[in-house]
Amino acid sequence: MPPSDKKEIENLRREIRRHDILYYVENQPEISDREYDRLMQRLKDLEAKHPDWVTPDSPTQRVGGKASERFESVVHKLPMLSLDNTYNLDEFRDFHNRVVKGLKNEIAEDKIEYVVELKIDGLGVTLSYENGLFTQGATRGDGRAGEDITANLRTIRSIPLTIPVEKEPFNFLEVRGEVYLDREAFVEFNKERKAGGQPEFANPRNAAAGSLRLLDPAITAQRPLDIFVYSVGHMDDMPFKTHHEAILKLKSLGFRVNPQTVLCKNFEETFSLIERWRDEKDHLSYEVDGLVVKVNAFSFQEKLGSTAKHPRWAVAYKYEAEQAVTEVEDILCQVGRTGSITPVAVLRPVFVSGSTVSRATLHNEDEIKRKDIRVGDTVVIEKAGEVIPKVVRVANQPGKSRGKPFKMPTKCPECQTAIYRPEGEAAWRCVNAACPAQLKERLFHFASRNAMDIDHLGPAVIDQLVDSGRVKHFSDLYNLTLEDLVPLERLAEKSANNLLAAIQKSKSAGLSRLIHGLGIRHVGQRAAAVLAQTFHSMDALQNASLEDLESVMEVGPIMAESLKAFFDREINQEEIRQLKKLGVALVEDRQETGDRLLGKQFVLTGALKHFTRDQAREMILAQGGRVTSSVSQKTDFVVAGEDPGSKLDKAKKLDVKILDEERFKALLAG
Ligand code: IVH
């Protein structure tokens, strides 16, 4: 290879790594996304020219791993212990007293330093570096051995693939940390799953764990995962004396460590931090399930040692989530749009964390069995942050007589078709494509604001249209007449006319909304928009090969398969023919597109007068901009409508440009 190419490749890799740290770890980018993309493209071009020179640590190789059949087991060099919990200040003081006792000949009680960290609610992982290269990453597993998830961890951009060892002569370094999802990223991610007909995750931790255990790293790469590294697991000749020193070192090596980590000079300081975080933790952009308090000096940690399960030099402090006690009045099974059947507890209404709760998801059959929840049971429920209320445990009075254990129905509660549970899945499914419950859910989704946006077509009307047999397919909506609607209950002639007008109007909703509305598995709103922009017509999309589909950014193999399977089915082809015949637009409306906002990152907050948030988002995308959910230093503009939320405060704090609706419109109009 020409020596100049070699040099350039090395320089590009170094530059990109530096920018990765600035962007993903420090939140302080120095260059625009566009400039970054240019560097990456140049590196890709050079590597394509010299394939022999592609190394696994190149920034181009994050999603290089192949999908695998299963994960290999990894025995940890040192066991990954878990932490003992304390739940109140007395218990926490007991922990301190044990530490004092253990160190009584070493140091005065008021001189013991502690490091206080947030206990991130995600999945514990370990990352090994050999001679500066990231060689293996694993889950905690049972603490002794976990699973090798290296390929998936490589896709998390804040995990360095290399660390600069030339400055620090160590051959082996193992660090430990927690992989998690931001609250807002979690909410958005769940919305997309719902729109794509996939079951939602109950909390960010499950979403993180599920994402890390996917067999195809290309899919993991699309999940908004991040990491905080919280300790050195093992390294040759540990050169540090304290945990705090080690953490600072990890930071300087390019690892993402939590900025809220604090070194406390004594127990009193630790105590006041615990008080402070009690309320403040709810304002963090990610979920924490408490604090971790660690004795700072490694020599003292060694002296204190560990039990079989927990270190004696560290403890978790857990704040109680708001809980309430109520009764399970019934357990229902709900049929979703794709036929998945979810058991739901109907509860005696109870007030918790600011609202009345009368239902809680029970997730799936295994979960109910594990907790042995039965109708009539007294249960403790819990609501944490934005998460759906859940049943924590059964709390019957001793001796209370109980109902029978819960049994999943054998038939779909709606259409009585036998249900089945696909291997490896937690959910039972109704396979009857004509199941009225599924049809109702599909129609509801089809008509929803982000899809065909058919006003006045709510659940009550849909129920009657389906139950009376008037609507069996989406296309039947476009054949409805006033005579069909007037007999429906609680639908006056005026409302019926409004509904007909709304149905009529939806014919020109456009391709992107239609693709989304069809409810193809794995295809959410964003993917639908990208597909519409790429293929422009339903015809072209239908005729696209798997390869064509996969070549679209944002479309991975699973989504491509799902699209192909959908369009291969005669029943769906017929439906699209019908929609066309009835005048539904199957081409993308000529949206004004351009690059006025190319590379600019927006956050929307508050209500806009002239358009919905989704319309605003579409207009930004059409001009090459991006919309994200949380404000950071990477945000270029925050568009603030009426009643903006905390995002506006954050924008002011970070000095991000704020646009009101008028200025936003002016910017769009150029
Ligand atoms: S220290 C022996 N620090 O909590 C020390 N753990 O029960 C154990 N976690 O599975 C880990 N944030 O994944 C530590 N700042 C933090 C943490 C943390 C979250 C998780 C960790 C572990 C569990 C401990």
Side-chain angles (χ1 to χ4, degrees), residues 179-205:
V179 173
Y180 72 97
L181 251 95
D182 227 88
R183 273 188 231 263
E184 288 198 39
F186 167 70
V187 172
E188 286 292 313
F189 175 54
N190 251 353
K191 259 196 221 159
E192 270 186 35
R193 283 179 69 84
K194 190 167 179 202
Q198 294 167 283
E200 292 168 76
F201 283 108
N203 54 47
R205 184 189 44 231

CSV table of all heavy atoms in Angstrom, one decimal, residues 179-205:
chain,number,residue,atom,x,y,z
A,179,VAL,N,-24.8,-1.3,31.6
A,179,VAL,CA,-25.4,-0.9,30.3
A,179,VAL,C,-26.9,-0.5,30.6
A,179,VAL,O,-27.6,-1.3,31.2
A,179,VAL,CB,-25.3,-2.0,29.2
A,179,VAL,CG1,-26.1,-1.6,28.0
A,179,VAL,CG2,-23.9,-2.3,28.9
A,180,TYR,N,-27.3,0.6,30.0
A,180,TYR,CA,-28.7,1.0,30.3
A,180,TYR,C,-29.3,1.8,29.2
A,180,TYR,O,-28.6,2.1,28.2
A,180,TYR,CB,-28.6,1.9,31.6
A,180,TYR,CG,-28.0,3.3,31.3
A,180,TYR,CD1,-28.8,4.4,31.0
A,180,TYR,CD2,-26.6,3.4,31.2
A,180,TYR,CE1,-28.3,5.6,30.7
A,180,TYR,CE2,-26.1,4.6,30.9
A,180,TYR,CZ,-26.9,5.7,30.6
A,180,TYR,OH,-26.3,6.9,30.2
A,181,LEU,N,-30.6,2.1,29.3
A,181,LEU,CA,-31.3,3.0,28.3
A,181,LEU,C,-31.8,4.2,29.1
A,181,LEU,O,-32.3,4.1,30.1
A,181,LEU,CB,-32.5,2.2,27.8
A,181,LEU,CG,-32.5,1.7,26.4
A,181,LEU,CD1,-32.0,0.3,26.4
A,181,LEU,CD2,-33.8,1.8,25.8
A,182,ASP,N,-31.6,5.3,28.5
A,182,ASP,CA,-32.1,6.6,29.0
A,182,ASP,C,-33.7,6.4,29.1
A,182,ASP,O,-34.3,5.8,28.3
A,182,ASP,CB,-31.9,7.6,27.8
A,182,ASP,CG,-31.3,8.8,28.4
A,182,ASP,OD1,-30.1,8.9,28.5
A,182,ASP,OD2,-32.1,9.7,28.6
A,183,ARG,N,-34.3,7.2,30.1
A,183,ARG,CA,-35.7,7.1,30.2
A,183,ARG,C,-36.4,7.4,28.9
A,183,ARG,O,-37.4,6.8,28.5
A,183,ARG,CB,-36.2,8.1,31.2
A,183,ARG,CG,-36.2,7.7,32.6
A,183,ARG,CD,-36.9,8.8,33.4
A,183,ARG,NE,-36.1,9.2,34.6
A,183,ARG,CZ,-36.2,8.7,35.8
A,183,ARG,NH1,-37.2,7.8,36.1
A,183,ARG,NH2,-35.5,9.1,36.8
A,184,GLU,N,-36.0,8.6,28.3
A,184,GLU,CA,-36.7,9.0,27.1
A,184,GLU,C,-36.5,8.1,25.9
A,184,GLU,O,-37.4,7.8,25.2
A,184,GLU,CB,-36.3,10.5,26.7
A,184,GLU,CG,-36.9,11.5,27.7
A,184,GLU,CD,-36.8,12.9,27.2
A,184,GLU,OE1,-37.1,13.0,26.0
A,184,GLU,OE2,-36.5,13.8,27.9
A,185,ALA,N,-35.3,7.6,25.8
A,185,ALA,CA,-35.0,6.7,24.7
A,185,ALA,C,-35.8,5.5,24.9
A,185,ALA,O,-36.3,4.9,23.9
A,185,ALA,CB,-33.5,6.3,24.8
A,186,PHE,N,-36.0,5.1,26.2
A,186,PHE,CA,-36.9,3.9,26.5
A,186,PHE,C,-38.3,4.1,26.0
A,186,PHE,O,-38.9,3.3,25.4
A,186,PHE,CB,-36.8,3.6,28.0
A,186,PHE,CG,-37.8,2.6,28.4
A,186,PHE,CD1,-37.7,1.3,28.1
A,186,PHE,CD2,-38.9,3.0,29.2
A,186,PHE,CE1,-38.7,0.4,28.5
A,186,PHE,CE2,-39.8,2.1,29.7
A,186,PHE,CZ,-39.7,0.8,29.3
A,187,VAL,N,-38.9,5.3,26.4
A,187,VAL,CA,-40.2,5.6,26.0
A,187,VAL,C,-40.4,5.6,24.5
A,187,VAL,O,-41.3,5.0,24.0
A,187,VAL,CB,-40.7,7.0,26.7
A,187,VAL,CG1,-42.1,7.4,26.1
A,187,VAL,CG2,-40.7,6.8,28.2
A,188,GLU,N,-39.5,6.3,23.8
A,188,GLU,CA,-39.6,6.4,22.4
A,188,GLU,C,-39.4,5.0,21.7
A,188,GLU,O,-40.2,4.6,20.8
A,188,GLU,CB,-38.4,7.2,21.8
A,188,GLU,CG,-38.5,8.6,22.0
A,188,GLU,CD,-39.6,9.2,21.2
A,188,GLU,OE1,-39.7,8.9,20.0
A,188,GLU,OE2,-40.4,10.0,21.8
A,189,PHE,N,-38.5,4.2,22.3
A,189,PHE,CA,-38.3,2.9,21.8
A,189,PHE,C,-39.5,2.0,22.0
A,189,PHE,O,-39.9,1.3,21.0
A,189,PHE,CB,-37.1,2.3,22.6
A,189,PHE,CG,-36.7,0.9,22.2
A,189,PHE,CD1,-36.5,0.5,20.9
A,189,PHE,CD2,-36.6,-0.1,23.3
A,189,PHE,CE1,-36.2,-0.8,20.7
A,189,PHE,CE2,-36.3,-1.4,23.0
A,189,PHE,CZ,-36.1,-1.8,21.7
A,190,ASN,N,-40.1,2.1,23.1
A,190,ASN,CA,-41.4,1.3,23.3
A,190,ASN,C,-42.5,1.7,22.4
A,190,ASN,O,-43.2,0.9,21.9
A,190,ASN,CB,-41.8,1.5,24.8
A,190,ASN,CG,-41.6,0.2,25.6
A,190,ASN,OD1,-41.2,-0.8,25.0
A,190,ASN,ND2,-41.9,0.3,26.9
A,191,LYS,N,-42.6,3.1,22.1
A,191,LYS,CA,-43.6,3.6,21.2
A,191,LYS,C,-43.4,2.9,19.9
A,191,LYS,O,-44.3,2.5,19.2
A,191,LYS,CB,-43.4,5.1,21.1
A,191,LYS,CG,-44.4,5.9,21.9
A,191,LYS,CD,-44.4,7.3,21.3
A,191,LYS,CE,-44.4,8.3,22.5
A,191,LYS,NZ,-43.9,9.6,22.1
A,192,GLU,N,-42.1,2.9,19.4
A,192,GLU,CA,-41.9,2.3,18.1
A,192,GLU,C,-42.2,0.8,18.1
A,192,GLU,O,-42.7,0.3,17.1
A,192,GLU,CB,-40.4,2.4,17.8
A,192,GLU,CG,-40.2,3.7,17.0
A,192,GLU,CD,-38.7,3.8,16.6
A,192,GLU,OE1,-38.1,2.8,16.2
A,192,GLU,OE2,-38.2,4.9,16.6
A,193,ARG,N,-41.9,0.1,19.2
A,193,ARG,CA,-42.2,-1.3,19.2
A,193,ARG,C,-43.7,-1.5,19.1
A,193,ARG,O,-44.2,-2.3,18.4
A,193,ARG,CB,-41.7,-1.9,20.5
A,193,ARG,CG,-40.2,-2.2,20.5
A,193,ARG,CD,-39.7,-2.8,21.8
A,193,ARG,NE,-40.1,-4.1,22.0
A,193,ARG,CZ,-39.5,-5.2,21.5
A,193,ARG,NH1,-38.5,-5.1,20.7
A,193,ARG,NH2,-40.0,-6.4,21.8
A,194,LYS,N,-44.4,-0.7,19.9
A,194,LYS,CA,-45.9,-0.8,19.9
A,194,LYS,C,-46.4,-0.6,18.5
A,194,LYS,O,-47.2,-1.4,17.9
A,194,LYS,CB,-46.5,0.2,20.8
A,194,LYS,CG,-47.9,0.0,21.1
A,194,LYS,CD,-48.5,0.8,22.2
A,194,LYS,CE,-49.9,0.5,22.4
A,194,LYS,NZ,-50.6,1.6,23.1
A,195,ALA,N,-45.9,0.5,17.8
A,195,ALA,CA,-46.3,0.8,16.5
A,195,ALA,C,-46.0,-0.3,15.5
A,195,ALA,O,-46.7,-0.6,14.6
A,195,ALA,CB,-45.7,2.1,16.0
A,196,GLY,N,-44.9,-1.0,15.8
A,196,GLY,CA,-44.5,-2.1,14.9
A,196,GLY,C,-45.1,-3.4,15.3
A,196,GLY,O,-44.7,-4.5,14.8
A,197,GLY,N,-46.0,-3.4,16.3
A,197,GLY,CA,-46.7,-4.6,16.7
A,197,GLY,C,-45.8,-5.5,17.5
A,197,GLY,O,-46.1,-6.7,17.6
A,198,GLN,N,-44.8,-5.0,18.2
A,198,GLN,CA,-44.0,-5.8,19.0
A,198,GLN,C,-44.3,-5.5,20.5
A,198,GLN,O,-44.7,-4.4,20.8
A,198,GLN,CB,-42.5,-5.5,18.8
A,198,GLN,CG,-42.1,-5.9,17.4
A,198,GLN,CD,-40.7,-5.3,17.1
A,198,GLN,OE1,-40.6,-4.1,16.9
A,198,GLN,NE2,-39.7,-6.1,17.3
A,199,PRO,N,-44.2,-6.5,21.3
A,199,PRO,CA,-44.5,-6.3,22.8
A,199,PRO,C,-43.6,-5.2,23.4
A,199,PRO,O,-42.4,-5.2,23.0
A,199,PRO,CB,-44.3,-7.6,23.4
A,199,PRO,CG,-43.6,-8.4,22.5
A,199,PRO,CD,-43.8,-7.9,21.1
A,200,GLU,N,-44.2,-4.4,24.2
A,200,GLU,CA,-43.3,-3.4,24.9
A,200,GLU,C,-42.6,-3.9,26.0
A,200,GLU,O,-43.0,-4.9,26.6
A,200,GLU,CB,-44.3,-2.2,25.4
A,200,GLU,CG,-44.9,-1.5,24.3
A,200,GLU,CD,-46.0,-0.6,24.9
A,200,GLU,OE1,-45.7,0.5,25.5
A,200,GLU,OE2,-47.2,-0.9,24.7
A,201,PHE,N,-41.4,-3.3,26.4
A,201,PHE,CA,-40.7,-3.7,27.5
A,201,PHE,C,-41.2,-3.0,28.8
A,201,PHE,O,-41.7,-1.9,28.7
A,201,PHE,CB,-39.2,-3.3,27.4
A,201,PHE,CG,-38.4,-4.2,26.5
A,201,PHE,CD1,-38.0,-3.8,25.2
A,201,PHE,CD2,-38.1,-5.5,26.9
A,201,PHE,CE1,-37.3,-4.6,24.3
A,201,PHE,CE2,-37.4,-6.4,26.0
A,201,PHE,CZ,-37.0,-5.9,24.8
A,202,ALA,N,-41.2,-3.7,29.9
A,202,ALA,CA,-41.8,-3.2,31.1
A,202,ALA,C,-41.0,-2.1,31.7
A,202,ALA,O,-41.5,-1.2,32.3
A,202,ALA,CB,-41.9,-4.3,32.2
A,203,ASN,N,-39.7,-2.1,31.5
A,203,ASN,CA,-38.8,-1.0,32.1
A,203,ASN,C,-37.5,-1.0,31.4
A,203,ASN,O,-37.2,-1.9,30.6
A,203,ASN,CB,-38.6,-1.3,33.6
A,203,ASN,CG,-38.1,-2.7,33.9
A,203,ASN,OD1,-37.1,-3.1,33.2
A,203,ASN,ND2,-38.6,-3.4,34.8
A,204,PRO,N,-36.8,0.1,31.6
A,204,PRO,CA,-35.5,0.3,30.8
A,204,PRO,C,-34.5,-0.8,31.1
A,204,PRO,O,-33.8,-1.2,30.2
A,204,PRO,CB,-35.0,1.6,31.3
A,204,PRO,CG,-36.1,2.4,31.9
A,204,PRO,CD,-37.1,1.3,32.4
A,205,ARG,N,-34.6,-1.4,32.3
A,205,ARG,CA,-33.6,-2.5,32.5
A,205,ARG,C,-33.9,-3.7,31.6
A,205,ARG,O,-33.0,-4.2,31.0
A,205,ARG,CB,-33.7,-2.9,34.0
A,205,ARG,CG,-32.6,-3.9,34.3
A,205,ARG,CD,-32.7,-4.5,35.7
A,205,ARG,NE,-34.1,-4.8,36.0
A,205,ARG,CZ,-34.7,-4.4,37.1
A,205,ARG,NH1,-34.1,-3.7,37.9
A,205,ARG,NH2,-36.0,-4.7,37.3
